[in-house]
Coordinates of all heavy atoms in Angstrom, one line a residue:
E1 N 23.0 24.9 -256.6 CA 23.9 24.8 -255.4 C 25.2 24.4 -255.8 O 25.4 23.4 -256.6 CB 23.3 23.8 -254.4 CG 21.9 24.2 -253.8 CD 21.4 23.2 -252.9 OE1 22.1 22.2 -252.7 OE2 20.3 23.5 -252.2
V2 N 26.2 25.3 -255.5 CA 27.6 24.9 -255.9 C 28.5 24.8 -254.6 O 28.4 25.7 -253.8 CB 28.1 26.0 -256.8 CG1 29.5 25.7 -257.2 CG2 27.2 26.4 -258.0
E3 N 29.2 23.8 -254.6 CA 30.2 23.4 -253.6 C 31.5 24.2 -254.0 O 31.8 24.3 -255.1 CB 30.3 22.0 -253.4 CG 29.1 21.3 -252.9 CD 28.6 21.7 -251.5 OE1 29.4 22.2 -250.7 OE2 27.3 21.6 -251.3
Q4 N 32.3 24.2 -253.0 CA 33.6 25.0 -253.2 C 34.5 24.1 -254.0 O 35.2 24.6 -254.9 CB 34.3 25.2 -251.8 CG 35.6 25.9 -251.9 CD 35.6 27.3 -252.5 OE1 34.4 28.0 -252.3 NE2 36.5 27.7 -253.3
H5 N 34.6 22.7 -253.8 CA 35.4 21.9 -254.7 C 34.9 21.9 -256.1 O 35.7 21.9 -257.1 CB 35.4 20.6 -254.1 CG 34.1 19.8 -254.3 ND1 33.2 20.0 -253.2 CD2 33.6 18.8 -255.1 CE1 32.1 19.1 -253.6 NE2 32.4 18.5 -254.6
E6 N 33.6 22.0 -256.2 CA 33.0 22.0 -257.7 C 33.4 23.4 -258.2 O 33.7 23.4 -259.5 CB 31.6 22.0 -257.8 CG 31.0 20.6 -257.3 CD 29.5 20.5 -257.1 OE1 28.9 21.7 -257.2 OE2 29.0 19.4 -257.1
W7 N 33.5 24.4 -257.6 CA 33.9 25.8 -257.9 C 35.4 25.8 -258.5 O 35.7 26.4 -259.4 CB 33.5 26.8 -257.0 CG 33.8 28.3 -257.5 CD1 35.0 29.1 -257.3 CD2 33.0 29.2 -258.1 NE1 34.8 30.2 -257.8 CE2 33.6 30.3 -258.5 CE3 31.7 29.0 -258.7 CZ2 32.9 31.2 -259.1 CZ3 31.1 29.9 -259.4 CH2 31.7 31.1 -259.7
A8 N 36.2 25.2 -257.6 CA 37.5 25.1 -257.9 C 37.9 24.3 -259.3 O 38.7 24.7 -260.0 CB 38.4 24.4 -256.8
K9 N 37.2 23.2 -259.4 CA 37.4 22.4 -260.6 C 36.9 23.3 -261.9 O 37.5 23.2 -262.9 CB 36.7 21.1 -260.5 CG 37.2 20.2 -259.6 CD 36.4 18.9 -259.5 CE 37.0 17.9 -258.4 NZ 36.2 16.6 -258.4
A10 N 35.7 23.8 -261.7 CA 35.3 24.7 -262.8 C 36.2 25.8 -263.2 O 36.4 26.2 -264.4 CB 33.8 25.2 -262.5
Q11 N 36.8 26.5 -262.2 CA 37.7 27.7 -262.4 C 38.9 27.0 -263.1 O 39.4 27.7 -264.1 CB 38.2 28.1 -261.1 CG 39.1 29.3 -261.1 CD 39.5 29.9 -259.8 OE1 39.3 29.3 -258.8 NE2 40.2 31.1 -259.9
K12 N 39.3 25.8 -262.9 CA 40.6 25.2 -263.5 C 40.1 25.0 -265.0 O 40.9 25.2 -265.9 CB 41.0 24.0 -262.9 CG 42.2 23.5 -263.4 CD 42.7 22.2 -262.7 CE 43.9 21.6 -263.2 NZ 44.4 20.5 -262.4
R13 N 38.9 24.4 -265.2 CA 38.6 24.1 -266.5 C 38.3 25.3 -267.3 O 38.7 25.4 -268.6 CB 37.2 23.3 -266.6 CG 37.3 21.9 -266.0 CD 36.2 21.0 -266.4 NE 35.0 21.5 -265.7 CZ 34.5 21.1 -264.5 NH1 35.4 20.2 -263.9 NH2 33.6 21.6 -263.9
S14 N 37.8 26.4 -266.7 CA 37.6 27.6 -267.5 C 38.9 28.3 -267.9 O 39.0 28.7 -269.1 CB 36.9 28.6 -266.6 OG 35.5 28.1 -266.3
G15 N 40.0 28.2 -266.9 CA 41.3 28.7 -267.3 C 41.8 28.0 -268.6 O 42.4 28.7 -269.4
T16 N 41.7 26.7 -268.4 CA 42.3 25.9 -269.6 C 41.5 26.2 -270.8 O 42.3 26.3 -272.0 CB 42.2 24.4 -269.3 OG1 42.8 24.2 -268.0 CG2 42.7 23.6 -270.2
L17 N 40.3 26.4 -270.9 CA 39.6 26.7 -272.1 C 40.0 28.0 -272.6 O 40.1 28.2 -273.9 CB 38.0 26.7 -271.7 CG 37.1 27.0 -272.9 CD1 37.2 25.9 -274.0 CD2 35.7 27.0 -272.5
I18 N 40.1 29.1 -271.8 CA 40.5 30.4 -272.2 C 42.0 30.4 -272.8 O 42.3 31.0 -273.8 CB 40.4 31.4 -271.1 CG1 38.9 31.6 -270.9 CG2 41.1 32.7 -271.5 CD1 38.7 32.8 -269.8
E19 N 42.9 29.5 -272.2 CA 44.3 29.3 -272.7 C 44.2 28.7 -274.1 O 45.0 29.1 -275.0 CB 45.1 28.5 -271.7 CG 45.4 29.2 -270.5 CD 46.4 30.3 -270.6 OE1 47.1 30.3 -271.6 OE2 46.4 31.1 -269.6
N20 N 43.4 27.7 -274.3 CA 43.2 27.2 -275.5 C 42.7 28.1 -276.7 O 43.1 28.1 -277.8 CB 42.4 25.9 -275.6 CG 43.0 24.7 -274.7 OD1 44.2 24.7 -274.5 ND2 42.1 23.9 -274.1
E21 N 41.8 29.0 -276.3 CA 41.2 29.9 -277.1 C 42.3 30.9 -277.5 O 42.5 31.4 -278.7 CB 39.9 30.6 -276.5 CG 39.3 31.5 -277.4 CD 38.5 30.7 -278.4 OE1 38.2 29.5 -278.2 OE2 38.0 31.3 -279.4
I22 N 43.2 31.4 -276.6 CA 44.2 32.3 -276.9 C 45.2 31.7 -277.8 O 45.7 32.4 -278.8 CB 44.9 32.8 -275.4 CG1 43.9 33.7 -274.7 CG2 46.2 33.5 -275.8 CD1 44.4 34.1 -273.3
R23 N 45.5 30.5 -277.6 CA 46.5 29.8 -278.5 C 46.0 29.7 -279.8 O 46.6 29.9 -280.9 CB 46.8 28.4 -277.9 CG 47.7 27.5 -278.7 CD 48.0 26.2 -278.1 NE 46.8 25.5 -277.8 CZ 46.1 24.8 -278.7 NH1 46.5 24.7 -280.0 NH2 44.9 24.2 -278.3
M24 N 44.7 29.4 -280.0 CA 44.1 29.3 -281.4 C 44.0 30.7 -282.1 O 44.2 30.8 -283.3 CB 42.6 28.7 -281.2 CG 42.5 27.3 -280.8 SD 40.9 26.7 -280.5 CE 40.2 26.8 -282.0
C25 N 43.8 31.7 -281.2 CA 43.6 33.0 -281.9 C 45.2 33.4 -282.3 O 45.3 34.0 -283.4 CB 43.1 34.1 -280.8 SG 41.3 33.8 -280.6
R26 N 46.1 33.1 -281.6 CA 47.6 33.5 -281.9 C 48.0 32.7 -283.1 O 48.7 33.2 -284.0 CB 48.5 33.2 -280.8 CG 48.3 34.2 -279.7 CD 49.1 33.8 -278.3 NE 49.1 34.7 -277.4 CZ 49.7 34.6 -276.3 NH1 50.4 33.5 -276.0 NH2 49.6 35.6 -275.3
Q27 N 47.6 31.5 -283.3 CA 47.9 30.7 -284.5 C 47.2 31.3 -285.7 O 47.9 31.4 -286.7 CB 47.5 29.2 -284.2 CG 48.2 28.6 -283.2 CD 47.8 27.0 -283.1 OE1 46.8 26.7 -283.7 NE2 48.5 26.3 -282.3
A28 N 46.0 31.7 -285.6 CA 45.3 32.3 -286.7 C 45.9 33.7 -287.0 O 46.0 34.0 -288.3 CB 43.8 32.5 -286.4
L29 N 46.2 34.3 -286.2 CA 46.8 35.8 -286.4 C 48.2 35.5 -287.0 O 48.6 36.2 -288.0 CB 47.0 36.5 -285.0 CG 47.4 38.0 -285.1 CD1 46.2 38.6 -285.8 CD2 47.6 38.5 -283.8
T30 N 48.9 34.7 -286.6 CA 50.3 34.3 -287.2 C 50.2 33.8 -288.7 O 50.9 34.3 -289.6 CB 51.1 33.2 -286.4 OG1 51.3 33.8 -285.1 CG2 52.4 33.1 -287.0
K31 N 49.1 33.0 -288.9 CA 48.9 32.5 -290.2 C 48.4 33.7 -291.2 O 48.8 33.7 -292.4 CB 47.8 31.5 -290.3 CG 47.5 30.9 -291.6 CD 46.5 29.8 -291.5 CE 46.2 29.1 -292.8 NZ 45.1 28.1 -292.7
L32 N 47.6 34.6 -290.7 CA 47.1 35.8 -291.6 C 48.3 36.6 -291.8 O 48.5 37.2 -293.0 CB 46.0 36.5 -290.8 CG 44.7 35.8 -290.8 CD1 43.6 36.6 -290.0 CD2 44.2 35.7 -292.3
R33 N 49.2 37.0 -290.8 CA 50.3 37.8 -291.0 C 51.4 37.3 -291.9 O 52.0 38.0 -292.6 CB 50.8 38.3 -289.6 CG 50.0 39.2 -288.8 CD 50.5 39.6 -287.5 NE 49.8 40.5 -286.8 CZ 50.0 40.9 -285.6 NH1 50.9 40.3 -284.9 NH2 49.2 41.8 -285.1
S34 N 51.5 35.9 -291.9 CA 52.6 35.3 -292.7 C 52.2 35.2 -294.1 O 53.0 35.1 -295.0 CB 52.9 33.9 -292.1 OG 51.7 33.1 -292.2
S35 N 50.9 35.4 -294.4 CA 50.4 35.2 -295.9 C 50.3 36.6 -296.6 O 49.7 36.5 -297.6 CB 49.1 34.4 -295.9 OG 48.1 35.1 -295.1
T36 N 50.4 37.7 -295.9 CA 50.3 38.9 -296.4 C 51.6 39.8 -296.0 O 52.0 39.8 -295.0 CB 49.1 39.5 -295.7 OG1 48.0 38.6 -295.9 CG2 48.7 40.9 -296.5
P37 N 52.0 40.6 -296.9 CA 53.1 41.6 -296.8 C 52.7 42.5 -295.7 O 51.6 43.0 -295.4 CB 53.3 42.4 -298.0 CG 52.8 41.5 -299.0 CD 51.7 40.8 -298.4

C-alpha cells in the first residue's frame, strides 16, 4: 500500500539517484576521452 506523499518522496529520490548516475557516467566518459587521442 502506497500513499500519495510516499510516492512523491520516492519520485524525488529516484530523480536524484538518476541525476547522480548521469553525472558519474559523464565523468567516466570525460576521463576516457581525455586519456586517448
Side-chain angles (χ1 to χ4, degrees):
E1 296 181 358
V2 182
E3 300 293 337
Q4 184 61 37
H5 67 277
E6 296 176 347
W7 185 264
K9 291 180 180 178
Q11 184 180 12
K12 185 177 180 181
R13 289 194 298 267
S14 300
T16 304
L17 183 62
I18 289 181
E19 290 290 342
N20 293 334
E21 190 73 17
I22 290 174
R23 179 178 53 81
M24 293 172 62
C25 289
R26 286 175 177 172
Q27 290 177 356
L29 195 61
T30 304
K31 184 177 180 181
L32 287 172
R33 287 177 175 174
S34 62
S35 61
T36 308

